[in-house]
Amino acid sequence: MKSEPDVYGIDHLIAAGGPAMWEGCRNYTVRNFFRDRFAAGDLALFSHSNANPSGLAGTMRVTSVAYADPTQFDPESHYYDPKSSPEAPRWLCVDVEFLEKFPRIVSLAEMRADPVLSGMETLRKGSRLSVTPLTDAEWERALELGRAAPAQG
DNA sequence: GCCAACGTTGGC
DNA sequence: GCCAACGTTGGC
C-alpha cells in the first residue's frame, strides 16, 4: 500500500498510536481490492512513493473490512467526490495499524534488482495503483531485506 | 520538469 | 460503444 510520506508516511501511522483510516483512494481497481480481497487481520507493506528514496518503509495490519470512505462526502476534503453520496457511496477505505518500521527503506532499485521482489505487481511498468497484491514469498523477502542492516556508503 | 502509461470524461 | 482529449500518477 503506497502513500506519499509528505502527505502520510509511516511516521504518521506510528504517531496515530492505533488504527487509522487508509483514506483517499479514488481508483476503481483499488476500490474493488478493498471490497473483494481485504479482510481484518491481513498484513500489508507500507510503501513510500514520490519520496527520496521511494520504497518499502515497514509493515502494518488491516483491522477492518472495507467501508465507505467518509472523506468522499466532505466538501472541505481534498478527497471530496460530489458524485458520491452516503446512499450510494462510490469509494471505500480500510483501517490499518502500525506493525513495524524497517531500519531503512528498501528502495525501488533494490526491489527491482532482487530476484524475488522483481516480480511484484507494484513494480510493473506503468503500474499506478496505490494498492497491489503480493505473494507470500514476496512478503517474506521484503521482511528479510527491510530488516537487514543498512548498506554502507 | 519530463514523460510514459493509465484512467476518466464526454461528444458523437 | 468508440475514441480523442484531458487528467493523474509517479519514477526518473
Side-chain angles (χ1 to χ4, degrees):
Chain A
M1 299 172 75
K2 278 194 294 196
S3 181
E4 304 186 18
D6 290 348
V7 178
Y8 195 94
I10 195 162
D11 290 335
H12 292 91
L13 184 58
I14 291 172
M21 263 194 325
W22 196 268
E23 66 192 29
C25 289
R26 296 293 180 266
N27 173 284
Y28 286 107
T29 301
V30 171
R31 191 273 309 272
N32 295 345
F33 281 159
F34 283 157
R35 185 191 60 199
D36 303 331
R37 305 183 61 159
F38 270 62
D42 284 350
L43 302 175
L45 296 171
F46 195 132
S47 186
H48 284 173
S49 61
N50 261 331
N52 193 12
S54 290
L56 307 177
T59 64
M60 55 195 173
R61 180 192 290 120
V62 177
T63 63
S64 77
V65 294
Y67 61 97
D69 180 344
T71 63
Q72 70 196 304
F73 310 129
D74 177 5
E76 304 299 312
S77 171
H78 175 64
Y79 302 119
Y80 178 59
D81 183 349
K83 293 179 181 170
S84 188
S85 70
E87 294 74 31
R90 180 177 290 207
W91 306 113
L92 302 176
C93 65
V94 296
D95 291 341
V96 295
E97 69 179 359
F98 171 76
L99 279 186
E100 175 180 359
K101 180 179 178 177
F102 296 148
R104 68 198 187 97
I105 299 287
V106 182
S107 72
L108 292 175
E110 188 174 357
M111 293 164 68
R112 288 206 166 89
D114 185 85
V116 178
L117 296 191
S118 60
M120 283 180 71
E121 184 85 16
T122 188
L123 294 180
R124 260 190 35 246
K125 186 175 169 69
S127 169
R128 296 184 317 169
L129 298 180
S130 60
V131 177
T132 47
L134 73 163
T135 66
D136 288 345
E138 288 161 353
W139 167 263
E140 293 300 333
R141 183 60 178 151
L143 292 187
E144 260 181 45
L145 288 177
R147 290 167 177 170
Q152 296 304 308

